[in-house]
Amino acid sequence: MKRPRFTAALVATITAASLGLAGCKGTEDTGASGTSGGRVSYLNFGDFGGGAAPKPNYNPYLDATKLAATTYLFEPLMVTEGYSCEQIPWLGTDYTWTDPKTLVFKTRQGVKWNDGEPFTAADVAFSFNLLKKYPVLDPQGVWQTGLSSVAATGDDEVTLKFSTPGASAFSTVSAVQIVPEHVWSKVKDPTTFTNAEDPVGTGPMTVKSMNPQSLVIDRNPDYWQADQVKVQEIRFHKADAGGQVEQLKLSRGFYDQNAMFVQDIQKTYVDRDPKHHHYWYAPGGVIAIYMNLTEKPFDDVEFRKALLTAFDHDKVVEKAQLGYVESASQTGLVIPGQEAWLPDGIENEGKEPYDEAAADAALTAAGYKKDAQGNRLDKSGKPIKFTFKVPGDYLDWVAASDILIANLKDLGFDVEQETPTPAAHDEDRKNGNYDMMFGVYGGSCNMYRNYADPMASTRTAPIGKPALSNETRWQDPETDKLLGDLKVASDEASQKEAVAGLANIMMNKVPSIPIWYGAKWFQYDTTRAVGWPNEKDPYSAGGDSLVVLTHLRPAQGN
């Protein structure tokens, strides 16, 4: 998960006077407003990618330089929406695991590319095999999942075969954006192909215009579910002025939808137009306390369990994270979106209450007593002293660590804060050069990856060598067995059984201590369009562009 950095510039109070932007446009804009043929004429969105000097690039496989339009040009077989992880049929209408190593998709009939050519299963097979032939186009690692072959086995059927049971790869393979074989088979070098001229896709929008400051996409009238697309045009705008100008434009109602960090969102944005200005920050990845499990006392499970009630999660949420996020479940699941995966018997959704007295008693019972001066002692009678590393540039993380270190000091620990650069911090975490620090994992809809990345023994390394992702150095045969079960489980019941076991390991063995969820920034304005996802109607996360677009409708009175 890519996290925002709450820099001093970003959290500065924004006023028109201080920025000299009293004339910045608000809800007024050039061009028509309202509706056209029962549709929203246009919506203003935020940045469209491509760096400081963007150039036309609609190659969906060039992640570093592709522009935002690719999301609306090309479609996957299934959309796994990012809140509840529901799998929504898209270019694929259904799928079947005929055996643990064979996945068969039925592809949607009657779909056409925007140049009028029919879409078929052959296009799906071609797209997958393109990624196999050119690995640089496969940053998501589709062909590193155990996938061994993809072939069209009929006009509306495509078969994926795996060298090992492939259930854990479903969310990865089903998300591949499909390109037209009749166009891309003629491309000499797909790794440099920017697809800049009249890009051909099956998606709901086509490219209308682009310059370094704006990108405009237009409704595709021949889209296979055009009746569900009530927006004629989306206008993306290049971000400027380090974020402050963008935030002012947001507060003035220029943007219909954006995704940015805003200081005091209620006062800066909502209160400017309470009827129309709204936000919803769905929970994302887990931000957890990592302990170096090769060191004492962190190698003692009873010590770790005693710390479960030691930390004031709510204070971190309200003070360090401005109330924008939710405290995290110890299970490692992202609640409430993934609550269907919670095992029976776990109270309060696995969210541990802050209870200093309980933590003190548990530490003492585990053999970690206090001396007469109130210093917490290890089992040999020596004071426990360690460091908490946090990137000095991440002001919200520093504020969070201040609270957690104070909690630890209240329990008698001698804790020193270190604030290295982000690069040095991340290097130390990979190599195990730390006592305690923050780590980030999970938050996706791939349950296997959510747990394997931080917990699989195959993804760690000895101290001094970089770990792939298991940076706490957690090694546990029961965990590895459950991960093995989850990797091959093709039915939901078996998957939930394995996830329940892993969630209980998080609760009872405490490989790490989740504190809060990262926020998925999402602001929206209902002046022109309604139907945005929100806390009361969380039909998807804000970043699920295709799903959101098919839910938008003209605002009443427009």
Side-chain angles (χ1 to χ4, degrees):
M1 181 191 73
K2 187 176 181 180
R3 64 171 300 283
R5 303 181 185 184
F6 295 7
T7 63
L10 202 57
V11 300
T13 301
I14 302 167
T15 66
S18 65
L19 293 172
L21 290 171
C24 179
K25 284 184 178 291
T27 52
E28 70 274 14
D29 196 357
T30 58
S33 61
T35 60
S36 175
R39 297 188 290 271
V40 182
S41 295
Y42 70 90
L43 293 175
N44 282 323
F45 283 14
D47 204 359
F48 54 91
K55 297 179 180 179
N57 183 352
Y58 310 112
N59 183 330
Y61 309 131
L62 296 180
D63 278 3
T65 55
K66 69 183 181 183
L67 303 184
T70 57
T71 302
Y72 298 89
L73 291 168
F74 303 101
E75 301 180 295
L77 290 166
M78 307 284 287
V79 172
T80 304
E81 62 89 356
Y83 181 73
S84 69
C85 297
E86 178 188 356
Q87 295 163 355
I88 305 173
W90 218 259
L91 288 183
T93 59
D94 198 5
Y95 66 91
T96 305
W97 288 96
T98 58
D99 62 62
K101 298 181 182 180
T102 307
L103 173 62
V104 178
F105 280 100
K106 286 289 184 181
T107 56
R108 190 173 299 277
Q109 294 183 300
V111 176
K112 291 186 177 181
W113 299 98
N114 60 31
D115 64 355
E117 292 293 318
F119 158 81
T120 70
D123 293 305
V124 177
F126 172 83
S127 299
F128 275 88
N129 288 308
L130 186 71
L131 304 188
K132 183 179 183 180
K133 184 176 180 180
Y134 300 98
V136 71
L137 300 179
D138 186 19
Q140 308 307 319
V142 173
W143 286 94
Q144 297 173 22
T145 61
L147 186 64
S148 58
S149 68
V150 179
T153 47
D155 287 343
D156 64 346
E157 182 180 279
V158 61
T159 300
L160 285 67
K161 289 188 173 294
F162 296 82
S163 57
T164 58
S168 64
F170 182 84
S171 63
T172 302
V173 299
S174 63
V176 171
Q177 290 176 294
I178 308 303
V179 298
E181 180 178 14
H182 68 278
V183 174
W184 286 65
S185 62
K186 300 172 185 176
V187 175
K188 292 183 179 179
D189 185 1
T191 67
T192 60
F193 179 49
T194 59
N195 198 22
E197 300 295 328
D198 299 322
V200 177
T202 59
M205 309 296 279
T206 60
V207 176
K208 183 176 182 179
S209 65
M210 184 266 171
N211 62 53
Q213 295 303 313
S214 69
L215 168 65
V216 181
I217 56 177
D218 199 39
R219 181 177 178 272
N220 174 8
D222 299 319
Y223 183 47
W224 58 273
Q225 51 177 339
D227 60 324
Q228 296 300 314
V229 179
K230 304 297 185 180
V231 177
Q232 183 61 43
E233 186 175 283
I234 297 175
R235 304 171 183 177
F236 296 92
H237 301 268
K238 200 64 188 164
D240 56 7
Q244 291 189 349
V245 171
E246 293 305 300
Q247 291 180 45
L248 181 58
K249 289 164 68 177
L250 178 73
S251 71
R252 296 286 300 277
F254 177 82
Y255 288 117
D256 295 285
Q257 185 264 311
N258 213 318
M260 64 173 77
F261 169 77
V262 179
Q263 177 80 357
D264 196 350
I265 187 70
Q266 183 69 34
K267 179 179 179 180
T268 305
Y269 180 58
V270 176
D271 290 349
R272 294 289 297 267
D273 186 354
K275 181 179 180 180
H276 300 110
H277 289 186
H278 310 277
Y279 70 96
W280 179 50
Y281 298 159
V286 175
I287 292 86
I289 292 175
Y290 278 14
M291 299 161 282
N292 190 327
L293 302 180
T294 68
E295 295 181 355
K296 293 182 180 302
F298 306 119
D299 63 346
D300 182 356
V301 63
E302 295 305 319
F303 177 87
R304 299 194 303 272
K305 287 175 69 175
L307 292 184
L308 287 178
T309 61
F311 301 111
D312 194 341
H313 299 64
D314 292 341
K315 189 173 183 180
V316 170
V317 167
E318 293 302 319
K319 300 297 185 182
Q321 298 298 316
L322 309 178
Y324 290 168
V325 301
E326 299 290 337
S327 60
S329 168
Q330 180 60 33
T331 62
L333 294 166
V334 179
I335 305 298
Q338 295 175 356
E339 62 186 355
W341 294 83
L342 273 171
D344 295 334
I346 292 183
E347 297 181 358
N348 194 35
E349 299 178 329
K351 295 188 177 184
E352 296 286 351
Y354 173 53
D355 190 335
E356 181 185 338
D360 179 70
L363 285 165
T364 301
Y368 301 93
K369 302 177 181 179
K370 287 181 179 178
D371 63 16
Q373 290 73 43
N375 299 308
R376 186 69 59 180
L377 308 177
D378 65 19
K379 291 183 177 180
S380 70
K382 295 180 180 179
I384 299 175
K385 181 178 181 179
F386 56 89
T387 62
F388 195 121
K389 290 187 177 181
V390 59
D393 289 354
Y394 294 179
L395 301 187
D396 62 319
W397 279 24
V398 172
S401 70
D402 288 342
I403 294 168
L404 302 178
I405 289 171
N407 294 154
L408 291 165
K409 289 183 175 180
D410 288 343
L411 289 166
F413 293 105
D414 184 353
V415 187
E416 179 182 352
Q417 184 186 73
E418 293 184 3
T419 53
T421 65
H425 170 273
D426 292 350
E427 190 72 13
D428 285 344
R429 188 171 57 201
K430 287 180 180 180
N431 290 301
N433 180 28
Y434 69 92
D435 300 324
M436 185 178 280
M437 66 193 332
F438 289 126
V440 184
Y441 62 84
S444 77
C445 291
N446 187 324
M447 290 297 172
Y448 174 75
R449 289 295 303 271
N450 287 347
Y451 283 103
D453 282 351
M455 296 172 67
S457 62
T458 56
R459 300 192 66 78
T460 194
I463 295 294
K465 294 185 178 180
L468 290 174
S469 57
N470 176 356
E471 295 161 332
T472 63
R473 272 64 187 173
W474 175 252
Q475 297 192 60
D476 175 59
E478 183 184 2
T479 298
D480 288 339
K481 181 184 182 303
L482 288 165
L483 287 171
D485 293 343
L486 181 57
K487 187 174 184 178
V488 302
S490 56
D491 64 280
E492 187 173 286
S494 299
Q495 292 168 1
K496 286 187 173 180
E497 182 178 356
V499 167
L502 292 163
N504 279 302
I505 283 177
M506 284 291 297
M507 297 290 299
N508 298 316
K509 296 186 179 181
V510 196
S512 63
I513 302 178
I515 301 296
W516 79 91
Y517 299 124
K520 296 181 179 180
W521 311 116
F522 181 66
Q523 301 93 21
Y524 61 97
D525 188 320
T526 58
T527 301
R528 280 190 277 259
V530 295
W532 306 96
N534 56 72
E535 190 171 8
K536 294 182 179 179
D537 185 18
Y539 64 80
S540 78
D544 297 327
S545 302
L546 291 173
V547 180
V548 173
L549 182 62
T550 56
H551 280 72
L552 296 180
R553 298 291 183 266
Q556 193 172 27
N558 273 1

